[in-house]
Amino acid sequence: MQTTIYEQYTVPQLIRLFSIPAILSLLVELLTSIVDTAFAGHLPNQADQALAAMGLLTPLFTVFVAIQTLFAVSTAVLISTNLAKRDWQRPLQLGVHATILLGVITSLITFLCMTPIFNQLQLTGEVASLAKDYLLILLFSHVFSSIGYTLTSVIRAFGHPKVEMTIISLAVVINITSNAYFTFGLNLGIKGIALGTLLSEVVCSLLAFIYLKRKKQWYRYTDYTWKERFHTTYALLKIGIAQTIIQALGGMTAWLVNKQLQTFGTTQTIGAWNIANKVYIFCLMPIVGITQAIQTILAYFHGQRNLQKKRLVIRTTLQWTTIYSVLLIVIFFLFGQNVLQLLTNDEQLLREGQSILNIIFITLPLTGFAYTVMTQLQVTEQELQAVGIGLTRQIFAMLPLIYLLPILVHTFALPFSQTEAIFLAIPFADFLTAIVAYVFIRKQGLFSFSKQMIYNKEK
């Protein structure tokens, strides 16, 4: 009997094998966003307005990423789960169809509701004009980005992580070069930035599709019954919904941050937050990627009732995310401005951006812990507790703190500015979320296993 990939490697090897392409799949979306920010920060006579436009659109783009995650991750997980039984056609077909349909519907609704969305995001004047030019093109990009994310995740699920990395790398290179050509070569400004992003997403989707077709790992269309469609779609939604809700709520948080910054800060403060937040989310993606990747691994060991291997996956993930987070804290405290200089050369933006980074990075290890616990809860059929952790951070902690901390700082004359108080909501919320995550996970005996197991290979 042919062994599965989960039985051929040690736990650390499995985590590396699945995490690297998962991380790159997430980074391709955010790297294109960061590249866009870098080019916007160097637009002549429009840098502040362009950065403000992209910053105020961040809540909307956060929701886009959350929607893309819904079927990309769950389709890959179901394919991996059914690979040994060669029963992957249905989740692939329905997962791809759901991805396309949801992407088109999301872009269409956004287009039709653009005016009220801009009003809610408080986009006005030249900033609103630039945001509209940018968003109209990004709506097409969102559809192709959704398709590319799902298809590259499927390639990983079939056991081709190197191919996935190659496709994603090519897309990033195309994004950077086309951005430079359209933005500065053709003098298209912010429209050129959006066109470069669109081109890279189209190429990524096409390359992934062509590879799957040539490897004969594409589905043959089947007219499934409504019962079969419902069963598979429900399974896809159940796997992906917790992560999607959590990320979508991040869009609400970003909206409130922008609203508070417009009240207590300036356009430059919003621009600095846009830059610092892009860096933070980019650095967070390896943690998100690792925890998404171990979903498949944990699901396999959960199905095999291998409790020891499951605990080992969690423990190893926590060790790696903690080490990574601590290193980032040191790097950004010492060299934060050097990193920010890749995105802007404005001295005021650099100073404000460094201050923001110092605040929001301090509790990054706790974020890694919370994400790992949420993943464990998702694959052990405790999705409601996973959603509860996300709600704790984004709704019960972050939103009240963003609103109340600036008022408390002013009322009690605390040694922080009101804009700094807004950013302090992030580490406070991380701390409270970590406590809730620990309460949910403590009964599962997370650390009760032999460390020697790390080096054992399952036969």
Side-chain angles (χ1 to χ4, degrees), residues 132-183:
K132 184 176 181 179
D133 290 341
Y134 186 66
L135 180 59
L136 285 174
I137 298 172
L138 262 292
L139 292 179
F140 293 96
S141 180
H142 168 63
V143 176
F144 287 101
S145 180
S146 300
I147 297 169
Y149 188 8
T150 295
L151 295 188
T152 51
S153 298
V154 167
I155 289 174
R156 176 181 6 112
F158 279 122
H160 311 298
K162 290 183 180 180
V163 176
E164 182 189 23
M165 287 188 289
T166 301
I167 292 173
I168 291 170
S169 299
L170 284 172
V172 172
V173 170
I174 289 171
N175 178 248
I176 295 172
T177 55
S178 58
N179 265 6
Y181 176 69
F182 289 137
T183 305

Side-chain angles (χ1 to χ4, degrees), residues 309-381:
K309 278 294 185 71
K310 229 168 59 171
R311 289 170 175 166
L312 180 54
V313 171
I314 296 169
R315 178 65 178 270
T316 306
T317 303
L318 286 176
Q319 289 174 341
W320 290 7
T321 56
T322 300
I323 292 171
Y324 167 77
S325 301
V326 171
L327 286 175
L328 279 183
I329 291 172
V330 174
I331 290 170
F332 280 102
F333 265 80
L334 295 177
F335 309 107
Q337 283 203 22
N338 299 93
V339 176
L340 293 175
Q341 283 176 346
L342 298 173
L343 303 179
T344 184
N345 51 15
D346 187 290
E347 291 296 329
Q348 182 65 24
L349 289 175
L350 288 173
R351 285 193 298 271
E352 291 194 37
Q354 175 69 72
S355 176
I356 296 170
L357 287 178
N358 290 345
I359 294 172
I360 63 179
F361 265 92
I362 195 66
T363 51
L364 190 60
L366 298 180
T367 304
F369 173 74
Y371 269 96
T372 304
V373 171
M374 284 191 291
T375 302
Q376 160 70 0
L377 294 172
Q378 283 178 273
V379 300
T380 54
E381 301 177 0

Side-chain angles (χ1 to χ4, degrees), residues 50-95:
L51 285 172
M54 295 169 71
L56 291 171
L57 285 172
T58 296
L60 182 62
F61 294 151
T62 302
V63 174
F64 281 178
V65 173
I67 290 170
Q68 292 165 15
T69 301
L70 179 58
F71 290 112
V73 174
S74 56
T75 301
V77 168
L78 277 189
I79 288 175
S80 299
T81 303
N82 294 285
L83 199 55
K85 297 181 291 185
R86 299 184 179 277
D87 188 23
W88 49 265
Q89 291 266 345
R90 191 196 305 175
L92 176 58
Q93 177 180 320
L94 297 181

Side-chain angles (χ1 to χ4, degrees), residues 403-423:
Y403 180 77
L404 291 174
L405 286 180
I407 298 174
L408 294 175
V409 163
H410 177 72
T411 302
F412 296 100
L414 299 177
F416 302 101
S417 68
Q418 289 179 295
T419 53
E420 287 175 331
I422 296 170
F423 304 126

Side-chain angles (χ1 to χ4, degrees), residues 23-44:
I23 291 168
L24 287 174
S25 295
L26 291 168
L27 289 181
V28 67
E29 179 69 25
L30 290 178
L31 186 57
T32 54
S33 178
I34 288 178
V35 169
D36 289 356
T37 302
F39 279 98
H42 291 84
L43 287 176

Side-chain angles (χ1 to χ4, degrees), residues 51 261 266-278 340 348-354 356 423:
L51 285 172
L261 288 178
T266 63
T267 300
Q268 276 205 321
T269 306
I270 297 172
W273 163 242
N274 180 32
I275 293 173
N277 191 44
K278 286 288 195 307
L340 293 175
Q348 182 65 24
L349 289 175
L350 288 173
R351 285 193 298 271
E352 291 194 37
Q354 175 69 72
I356 296 170
F423 304 126

